[in-house]
Amino acid sequence: MYRDRIRLKSLWGKVVPAEEAAFLIKDGMTVGMSGFTRAGDAKAVPLALAERAASEKLKITLMTGASLGNDVDRILTEAGVLSRRLPFQADPVLRKAINRGEVMFVDQHLSETVELLRSRQMGPVDVAVIEACAITENGGIVPTTSIGNSATFAILAEKIIIELNLTQPLDLEGMHDVYIPTRRPFREPIPVVTAESRAGLPYIPIDPSRIAAIVVTRKQDSSASILPPDDETNAIAGHLIEFLGREVRQGRMGRSLAPLQAGIGTIANAVLHGLIDGPFHDLTMYSEVLQDSTFELFDAGKLNFASGSSITLSAGKYAEVLPKIGSYKGRLLLRPQEISNHPEVIRRLGVIGINTALECDIYGNVNSTHVNGTQMMNGIGGSGDFARNSHLAIFVTKSLAKGGAISSVVPMVSHVDHNEHDVDVLVTEVGLADLRGLAPRERAETIIRNCVHPSYRELAADYQRRALQRGGHTPHLLEEAFAWHTRFQQTGSMMPKPLAAE
């Protein structure tokens, strides 16, 4: 029975099938949908849009919090519905359409999208489609497993469609903290001074007269594809734990460290998992995505509190955690992503930011988004928000990819998302490079010695030696800076053939 979840009785008459609700969305509109890293996303209305597109022209600009689950991006792409997509995606079919130029993808820092909407530099949002587990007595929307950009989409949209998901537990209610910053230029400081700080409301406040339709759904979130830790990710975690231990011994932080942030994905999740056996305790998190490792740290008694914008779990962990999510109440908060990723708060709290690099170069520049400089993978996500503003900006990656055909550490990155000014520490399974206070020449020596795989180390060292002969503050051989990438495109390996044969 869904009516007990719609506590404002005047809204009961707004319940309609997904197909009817979808007709509120017209060709050329800008649509803001809930969803952040496969959690709390709209699940029924997007499919109805795809079905409509089979018989009529229907193209939209789609804004979300981050990536969507339940193959929504794939289905909308294959139906030809998407003309423009932002600010993040992680679907292989959509990725190919983006790289073919069929869908215009706007890659944005996750903290910035709603700022651009609020200041009317983008938009407006015509329709918001928001998943909820309940609607309050005053018409407030209680989100589910993510907030993302949902609050601002709902506040700014002309019309709102609510997907009321009956599989999402009501125990989620009370775990949200919806705070919307006041308008610039007279904005007050955001009142978040610890990971535990509550600054807003447990629901999204909107005028219920703008709720145009309510669709009842029963589909669960998609699970995350998170691989278990392996020897290499365990080695990365070991290097990082040893480094953090030195920071403690040198008096730079206590054994509870500083609030932790980790980007989405297997490597970052495995690094946090490694803290279970580390010497640290009474940890806190101030992050975007709360993954398997968050709940493993809770259950191990290592983590006291976690603040994020979504809960994104593997299938096994989802089945274990969601039915007992109420047992974590009091230790969890979900915030809008503009707050979870806000530079002001990140810098105030002194967050330790741990994010994954696609590749990095010998001077510490990091590429998070583009393969060979041109092919978009997923997007910058929140890594830039945290890298530039964290107490420690740490990037992790395995030193090799494609069975050794690719070195993740190269002479010059083929695309720059985080320049060397924003990168404090690089870690591979080979070792850790602490780059704080080092000049470019010193950074190159440190990275080559500590992070480059042995099979590529002499190649990197030879490049640096010859570049040093040319001189410069950041020595490079411009005619060779992308030679490794070119060699991979031409031969399938960054390794020169004579060395590969040895």
Side-chain angles (χ1 to χ4, degrees):
M1 190 64 180
Y2 63 81
R3 285 189 171 182
D4 59 342
R5 293 190 181 221
I6 305 174
R7 297 174 198 147
L8 183 59
K9 292 183 179 181
S10 61
L11 294 176
W12 288 359
K14 298 288 183 74
V15 177
V16 298
E19 294 75 17
E20 183 176 336
F23 272 102
L24 295 167
I25 299 172
K26 309 298 183 184
D27 182 51
M29 280 187 169
T30 294
V31 180
M33 286 188 185
S34 65
F36 191 104
T37 56
R38 302 168 69 83
D41 45 1
K43 300 172 174 67
V45 172
L47 304 188
L49 286 175
E51 291 176 5
R52 272 180 59 202
S55 58
E56 65 177 273
K57 181 187 176 186
L58 180 61
K59 284 192 173 292
I60 64 170
T61 291
L62 177 59
M63 300 180 177
T64 60
S67 55
L68 300 176
N70 289 288
D71 292 325
V72 166
D73 270 325
R74 175 185 66 78
I75 292 167
L76 292 177
T77 301
E78 291 176 343
V81 173
L82 300 180
S83 63
R84 186 173 298 269
R85 180 74 169 86
L86 62 152
F88 187 86
Q89 56 77 41
D91 181 81
V93 172
L94 174 56
R95 182 184 304 140
K96 290 178 181 177
I98 290 167
N99 287 320
R100 289 194 300 266
E102 295 169 4
V103 176
M104 295 296 102
F105 178 56
V106 183
D107 186 20
Q108 292 178 329
H109 297 297
L110 294 188
S111 66
E112 290 189 337
T113 303
V114 294
E115 290 279 26
L116 293 169
L117 287 172
R118 198 180 288 122
S119 59
R120 299 197 295 270
Q121 297 177 73
M122 289 194 318
V125 179
D126 297 298
V127 178
V129 186
I130 309 298
E131 184 177 81
C133 64
I135 301 172
T136 68
E137 292 80 0
N138 61 359
I141 302 169
V142 181
T144 58
T145 45
S146 74
I147 297 185
N149 285 326
S150 297
T152 297
F153 290 160
I155 290 168
L156 295 181
E158 182 180 341
K159 295 180 180 179
I160 303 167
I161 301 170
I162 294 177
E163 289 200 2
L164 187 69
N165 192 331
L166 303 187
T167 69
Q168 295 280 17
L170 281 172
D171 277 339
L172 288 166
E173 189 168 3
M175 289 188 180
H176 307 93
D177 186 50
V178 180
Y179 176 84
I180 305 298
T182 52
R183 288 189 179 271
R184 299 180 292 197
F186 305 109
R187 177 172 293 173
E188 297 173 355
I190 296 171
V192 175
V193 296
T194 68
E196 299 94 328
S197 293
R198 273 194 173 273
L201 298 169
Y203 56 84
I204 300 169
I206 52 101
D207 178 353
S209 68
R210 291 191 298 111
I211 298 176
I214 300 172
V215 176
V216 177
T217 69
R218 293 175 175 82
K219 200 167 190 178
Q220 294 184 334
D221 285 343
S222 294
S223 57
S225 301
I226 298 176
L227 299 175
D230 57 26
D231 290 344
E232 291 168 324
T233 57
N234 284 335
I236 292 170
H239 297 316
L240 189 51
I241 289 168
E242 182 182 351
F243 165 77
L244 293 172
R246 287 198 300 272
E247 293 292 290
V248 171
R249 291 192 296 274
Q250 292 170 5
R252 296 191 178 119
M253 59 181 71
R255 289 207 173 271
S256 59
L257 304 178
L260 299 166
Q261 176 265 338
I264 189 71
T266 295
I267 297 178
N269 186 72
V271 168
L272 283 188
H273 181 274
L275 293 173
I276 292 173
D277 298 319
F280 315 110
H281 54 77
D282 296 319
L283 301 171
T284 59
M285 293 187 69
Y286 193 85
S287 193
E288 312 158 290
V289 186
L290 306 182
Q291 302 179 76
D292 288 19
S293 53
T294 302
F295 293 90
E296 290 162 357
L297 286 165
F298 271 140
D299 295 342
K302 291 282 189 173
L303 183 65
N304 289 350
F305 196 91
S307 168
S309 194
S310 77
I311 299 172
T312 302
L313 305 173
S314 66
K317 188 61 70 174
Y318 186 91
E320 173 193 335
V321 166
L322 202 66
K324 62 174 185 178
I325 193 69
S327 67
Y328 296 98
K329 235 170 189 175
R331 294 186 286 168
L332 278 177
L333 271 186
L334 295 181
R335 308 180 190 273
Q337 69 195 66
E338 67 172 317
I339 303 299
S340 69
N341 290 43
H342 202 288
E344 173 193 332
V345 181
I346 294 167
R347 187 158 291 202
R348 175 184 295 135
L349 299 185
V351 170
I352 298 172
I354 305 168
N355 289 283
T356 304
L358 190 63
E359 68 176 359
C360 59
D361 67 28
I362 61 174
Y363 293 108
N365 300 291
V366 168
N367 171 15
S368 297
T369 57
H370 285 73
V371 176
N372 276 335
T374 61
Q375 300 294 305
M376 169 60 69
M377 281 293 288
N378 300 331
I380 193 169
S383 55
D385 298 321
F386 285 93
R388 178 149 290 189
N389 300 289
S390 289
H391 168 70
L392 282 171
I394 300 167
F395 282 90
V396 297
T397 183
K398 294 184 179 183
S399 66
L400 297 176
K402 299 290 184 184
I406 293 176
S407 171
S408 298
V409 187
V410 294
M412 182 183 287
V413 288
S414 56
H415 176 90
V416 182
D417 291 296
H418 316 284
N419 64 48
E420 75 275 16
H421 305 293
D422 298 334
V423 180
D424 297 318
V425 176
L426 289 175
V427 196
T428 69
E429 81 282 1
V430 177
L432 180 146
D434 183 353
L435 306 177
R436 294 172 296 176
L438 300 185
R441 295 177 183 224
E442 297 169 316
R443 292 165 77 93
E445 181 181 342
T446 302
I447 291 169
I448 292 169
R449 182 177 65 250
N450 291 291
C451 295
V452 178
H453 191 274
S455 61
Y456 283 91
R457 189 174 296 147
E458 181 51 38
L459 280 175
D462 176 68
Y463 176 88
Q464 185 204 15
R465 283 193 296 267
R466 290 184 294 113
L468 285 170
Q469 293 173 3
R470 296 253 184 110
H473 180 246
T474 306
H476 266 302
L477 305 171
L478 293 184
E479 70 276 14
E480 293 185 32
F482 298 120
W484 294 20
H485 298 89
T486 303
R487 190 181 300 128
F488 175 75
Q489 288 183 320
Q490 294 173 345
T491 70
S493 176
M494 287 185 173
M495 187 71 70
K497 285 185 179 180
L499 291 178
E502 290 180 3

